[in-house]
Amino acid sequence: MMKAWEKNIRKVVPYVPGEQPNKERMIKLNTNENPYPPAPGVAEALKNLDPDRLRLYPDPACTRLVDAIAKQKGLKPEQIFVGVGSDDVLAMCFMTFFNSEKPILFPDITYSFYDVWAEEFRIPYETQPLDDDFNIRKEDYYKENGGVIFPNPNAPTGVEASQEMIEDILQHNQDVIVIIDEAYVDFGARTAQPLLEKYDNLIVVQTFSKSRSMAGMRIGYAMASPELIKYLNDVKYSFNSYTMDQTALDLGVASIEDQAYFEETLHKIIQTRERVKLRLTELGFTFRDSRSNFIFASHKSCPAEELFEKLKEKDIYVRYFNKPRIHNYLRITIGTDAEMDEFLSEVENYLKESGRL
Amino acid sequence: MMKAWEKNIRKVVPYVPGEQPNKERMIKLNTNENPYPPAPGVAEALKNLDPDRLRLYPDPACTRLVDAIAKQKGLKPEQIFVGVGSDDVLAMCFMTFFNSEKPILFPDITYSFYDVWAEEFRIPYETQPLDDDFNIRKEDYYKENGGVIFPNPNAPTGVEASQEMIEDILQHNQDVIVIIDEAYVDFGARTAQPLLEKYDNLIVVQTFSKSRSMAGMRIGYAMASPELIKYLNDVKYSFNSYTMDQTALDLGVASIEDQAYFEETLHKIIQTRERVKLRLTELGFTFRDSRSNFIFASHKSCPAEELFEKLKEKDIYVRYFNKPRIHNYLRITIGTDAEMDEFLSEVENYLKESGRL
């Protein structure tokens, strides 16, 4: 029998996070983590952290971390908002800025959290189909709407939208908030940050999870006009004043201060990615050029789900989405060279074994 | 000129967190932090944390921490929900369970976040006046409503509601969710946890911030029926799957496993509190018996705001609320014995100086 209190519960279709297998010997290419450790200064900051300080509340304004990010980006601290991973930042953005009766717009193939947040916050939305090459069609975003959001590069396709297209979409959407979700931008794509000077309705969101090897610390941030950042902070302070714990603040600052290590790791991942692209092509895969730390690939004769399962048997985890239009693709995170070699050799073995190569 | 996008922004009156002064030599009795460091195992866990692991996403289900709390509380892991401080847990509860057209009910003098969350999530609410001795009047909670929440002990009064009163309120509210916010319960009050067996609409919320000296790590939790915990997790997973970072998970487990240190610290704080109560009475203060780590006191002749300002000049910070009914009270957090002695002696000095003693 249904209890009376049941009827006032917010029931949502829960988002299912990517598998987090935890095996001794596995190759984990399924959640776009960075294969390299965080900057050496992060280990140092961890060692220097005074445990006695943990009895005190952290700085609710996250001043040191905000200042460090602002400095690195050449922005004012009033233009930075920090949250518990970019998911927290994006959720706060949805809650703060998407309150129109008109639907917000985002691509049909995109980060799988957008429709989940829209449902959770009861925001009307309308997805806009990518073209057959997984490109955004800018004209789809000319119609009246309650806001626009898309990742650049897009997830899980890895396809980058040109700056011209982004600016065109901004020009056609000056009455709503436009969010560019740049979780993967550091791996060789162009950031929309310079457009902040011209468009005070633009929000650019980035994260420490991928390019800074700190998925485990949950640090994301938004860059926007001081006005939008103030609205975001007002909502955040009304939700949970102290979202960032002391360790996240200390370790985040240490990470952002080591630009050399950051660039070195990115360089290594990009090198590996380009090499893997060549080999995947030789093996019969097709994919759009990826500017992220993953490749979204389809094989000419081996179904994605089959390969996904076969790799899993070998403790190699990639991501498979059983969804319309992308059910024949695998999203392969770029790991170390050694990991990618093992991955490629298992793929080759299976394609040979199954008579496809 | 107002921008078009302005009209769809969620505008909230931002919550103002308690002052976080950061002076070399100060006595900080204003945000109910614990004066003693976290358990020794927490320092140990910090030292043992492998920085390389931070590149990976943390366990979204927080399994080890949930299991450790469940074990310590004698509950099943399915009865525990963990969040970024009890503020995050409570915000998630408001979003998940308070979706009725009828107003939720809470006391007029209470934790200052309840009305902020209600405003933020657009939940109708009605405050119920405490009696003149700051007691909850149970009859106020018999009327039709969309949910009930109050802290026990209440904040900022420190007054404990009896278990009989809590059960009476539960008996009159079986069709809605009832939340007992037990941020301060460990300092000598009785928990409503045993009532979970009888009432599947009850949620008990606790935190590591006060009694476990870990305000800086942001760890709170809810205890309830597996059914309610599942609804909470569904909403959490739809907001941000990975809310707890790796350090919070590791340090939280280390803290909960050291029950002996926990009890020892509580004992010390309670001893100090009882001694401070006696001395405050001698100095002309009145207050209700506090079962928390603070005393909410009023002086017979010295206005609270005046004393607040004078203490601040001496770098002693207590909390003053410029609000109806409580504007002549100070909330004084219990610090170490040495801190309280200095506080008491400055109070005595000022009362003498101003001719009130």
Side-chain angles (χ1 to χ4, degrees), chain A residues 1-72:
Chain A
M1 198 195 68
M2 193 168 135
K3 301 287 176 67
W5 46 257
E6 283 256 10
K7 68 176 183 303
N8 292 318
I9 289 178
R10 184 182 300 251
K11 295 197 182 82
V12 291
V13 180
Y15 175 81
V16 182
E19 225 173 336
Q20 292 294 9
N22 190 11
K23 298 196 174 179
E24 194 66 42
R25 224 206 63 80
M26 63 170 178
I27 295 184
K28 193 169 179 307
L29 309 175
N30 69 332
T31 50
N32 295 341
E33 287 144 335
N34 196 309
Y36 302 106
V42 171
E44 203 60 32
L46 196 56
K47 222 167 59 190
N48 292 336
L49 213 148
D50 175 8
D52 290 10
R53 257 171 71 214
L54 302 180
R55 72 179 185 81
L56 299 173
Y57 280 96
D59 168 19
C62 309
T63 312
R64 283 182 58 233
L65 183 55
V66 162
D67 288 354
I69 296 170
K71 190 178 163 204
Q72 208 273 317

Side-chain angles (χ1 to χ4, degrees), chain B residues 178-198:
Chain B
V178 177
I179 303 174
I180 314 292
D181 175 1
E182 296 189 338
Y184 301 103
V185 79
D186 293 326
F187 300 98
R190 273 177 71 193
T191 173
Q193 191 201 316
L195 295 172
L196 290 174
E197 284 186 29
K198 266 172 81 177

Side-chain angles (χ1 to χ4, degrees), chain B residues 120-241:
Chain B
E120 170 142 315
F121 301 132
R122 298 159 184 167
I123 301 165
Y125 65 97
E126 224 178 63
T127 60
Q128 307 302 312
L130 298 180
D131 73 15
D132 289 342
D133 289 328
F134 293 153
N135 295 305
I136 287 174
R137 295 181 307 198
K138 60 185 180 187
E139 298 77 13
D140 291 346
Y141 297 84
Y142 291 177
K143 67 188 82 164
E144 268 210 296
N145 64 67
V148 170
I149 179 166
F150 56 89
N152 192 41
N154 197 8
T157 64
V159 175
E160 184 183 7
S162 70
Q163 290 293 299
E164 294 65 40
M165 184 191 282
I166 290 175
E167 183 149 13
D168 181 85
I169 290 175
L170 275 161
Q171 261 160 6
H172 284 87
N173 286 283
Q174 303 203 31
D175 291 348
V176 297
I177 301 300
V178 177
I179 303 174
I180 314 292
D181 175 1
E182 296 189 338
Y184 301 103
V185 79
D186 293 326
F187 300 98
R190 273 177 71 193
T191 173
Q193 191 201 316
L195 295 172
L196 290 174
E197 284 186 29
K198 266 172 81 177
Y199 299 93
D200 61 4
N201 60 325
L202 169 64
I203 302 178
V204 178
V205 175
Q206 298 187 352
T207 175
F208 281 47
S209 295
K210 276 85 186 188
S211 55
R212 295 193 174 271
S213 307
M214 287 179 79
M217 285 312 296
R218 320 304 306 117
I219 307 173
Y221 55 101
M223 303 181 276
S225 62
E227 201 180 352
L228 296 194
I229 295 298
K230 193 198 162 295
Y231 285 125
L232 263 178
N233 270 318
D234 286 353
V235 169
K236 166 231 161 114
Y237 282 125
S238 304
F239 192 90
N240 184 1
S241 313

Side-chain angles (χ1 to χ4, degrees), chain A residues 254-322:
Chain A
S255 168
I256 202 107
E257 282 176 348
D258 195 341
Q259 188 65 10
Y261 179 85
F262 173 68
E263 281 165 16
E264 183 196 319
T265 336
L266 289 180
H267 183 69
K268 279 200 282 189
I269 292 167
I270 292 169
Q271 296 265 73
T272 307
R273 180 186 70 204
E274 296 307 311
R275 189 171 68 77
V276 172
K277 281 181 186 170
L278 294 178
R279 188 68 190 124
L280 283 176
T281 306
E282 288 167 3
L283 291 171
F285 286 88
T286 51
F287 43 84
R288 285 293 314 275
D289 187 34
S290 166
R291 294 298 174 99
S292 56
N293 69 337
F294 59 82
I295 298 170
F296 195 59
S298 188
H299 192 266
K300 61 179 176 192
S301 60
C302 183
E305 192 168 11
E306 179 182 330
L307 190 53
F308 168 74
E309 294 295 345
K310 288 295 163 188
L311 287 168
K312 204 162 154 178
E313 285 170 18
K314 304 277 181 187
D315 287 334
I316 297 175
Y317 294 83
V318 297
R319 189 83 184 258
Y320 173 68
F321 300 90
N322 194 0

Side-chain angles (χ1 to χ4, degrees), chain A residues 147-165:
Chain A
V148 171
I149 180 166
F150 56 89
N152 193 43
N154 197 8
T157 65
V159 175
E160 182 182 9
S162 70
Q163 290 292 299
E164 294 64 39
M165 185 191 283

Side-chain angles (χ1 to χ4, degrees), chain B residues 67-349:
Chain B
D67 288 354
I69 295 170
K71 189 177 162 204
Q72 208 272 319
K73 295 288 173 184
L75 295 172
K76 288 177 285 191
E78 306 85 70
Q79 291 183 270
I80 307 291
F81 171 84
V82 164
V84 183
S86 58
D87 283 349
D88 181 47
V89 174
L90 290 166
M92 290 286 161
C93 286
F94 271 60
M95 215 197 299
T96 308
F97 301 114
F98 293 162
N99 293 291
S100 169
E101 304 285 302
K102 293 173 202 149
I104 61 166
L105 308 180
F106 49 83
D108 63 336
I109 301 170
T110 195
Y111 184 36
S112 46
F113 240 116
Y114 298 159
D115 57 354
V116 173
W117 285 317
E119 299 279 354
E120 170 142 315
F121 301 132
R122 298 159 184 167
I123 301 165
Y125 65 97
E126 224 178 63
T127 60
Q128 307 302 312
L130 298 180
D131 73 15
D132 289 342
D133 289 328
F134 293 153
N135 295 305
I136 287 174
R137 295 181 307 198
K138 60 185 180 187
E139 298 77 13
D140 291 346
Y141 297 84
Y142 291 177
K143 67 188 82 164
E144 268 210 296
N145 64 67
V148 170
I149 179 166
F150 56 89
N152 192 41
N154 197 8
T157 64
V159 175
E160 184 183 7
S162 70
Q163 290 293 299
E164 294 65 40
M165 184 191 282
I166 290 175
E167 183 149 13
D168 181 85
I169 290 175
L170 275 161
Q171 261 160 6
H172 284 87
N173 286 283
Q174 303 203 31
D175 291 348
V176 297
I177 301 300
V178 177
I179 303 174
I180 314 292
D181 175 1
E182 296 189 338
Y184 301 103
V185 79
D186 293 326
F187 300 98
R190 273 177 71 193
T191 173
Q193 191 201 316
L195 295 172
L196 290 174
E197 284 186 29
K198 266 172 81 177
Y199 299 93
D200 61 4
N201 60 325
L202 169 64
I203 302 178
V204 178
V205 175
Q206 298 187 352
T207 175
F208 281 47
S209 295
K210 276 85 186 188
S211 55
R212 295 193 174 271
S213 307
M214 287 179 79
M217 285 312 296
R218 320 304 306 117
I219 307 173
Y221 55 101
M223 303 181 276
S225 62
E227 201 180 352
L228 296 194
I229 295 298
K230 193 198 162 295
Y231 285 125
L232 263 178
N233 270 318
D234 286 353
V235 169
K236 166 231 161 114
Y237 282 125
S238 304
F239 192 90
N240 184 1
S241 313
Y242 304 94
T243 53
M244 307 300 291
D245 67 40
Q246 191 58 54
T247 57
L249 294 176
D250 284 11
L251 274 49
V253 170
S255 167
I256 202 109
E257 282 176 346
D258 195 341
Q259 189 65 10
Y261 179 85
F262 173 68
E263 280 164 16
E264 182 196 319
T265 337
L266 289 180
H267 182 70
K268 281 201 282 189
I269 293 168
I270 291 170
Q271 296 265 71
T272 307
R273 180 186 69 204
E274 296 308 310
R275 187 171 71 77
V276 172
K277 281 181 185 171
L278 294 177
R279 187 69 190 124
L280 283 176
T281 306
E282 288 167 2
L283 292 171
F285 286 88
T286 52
F287 42 85
R288 285 292 314 276
D289 187 34
S290 166
R291 295 297 175 100
S292 57
N293 70 337
F294 58 82
I295 299 169
F296 195 60
S298 188
H299 192 265
K300 61 180 177 190
S301 60
C302 182
E305 191 167 10
E306 179 182 331
L307 190 52
F308 167 75
E309 293 295 347
K310 288 295 163 187
L311 288 168
K312 205 162 152 177
E313 285 171 18
K314 304 280 180 184
D315 287 332
I316 297 175
Y317 294 83
V318 296
R319 188 83 184 258
Y320 173 68
F321 300 90
N322 194 1
K323 283 188 179 178
R325 298 189 71 190
I326 57 171
H327 54 77
N328 205 22
Y329 283 81
L330 294 179
R331 192 192 66 186
I332 305 147
T333 304
I334 303 302
T336 61
D337 276 314
E339 286 172 331
M340 298 321 285
D341 285 342
E342 195 165 335
F343 159 78
L344 289 167
S345 114
E346 287 298 347
V347 169
E348 184 179 353
N349 286 347

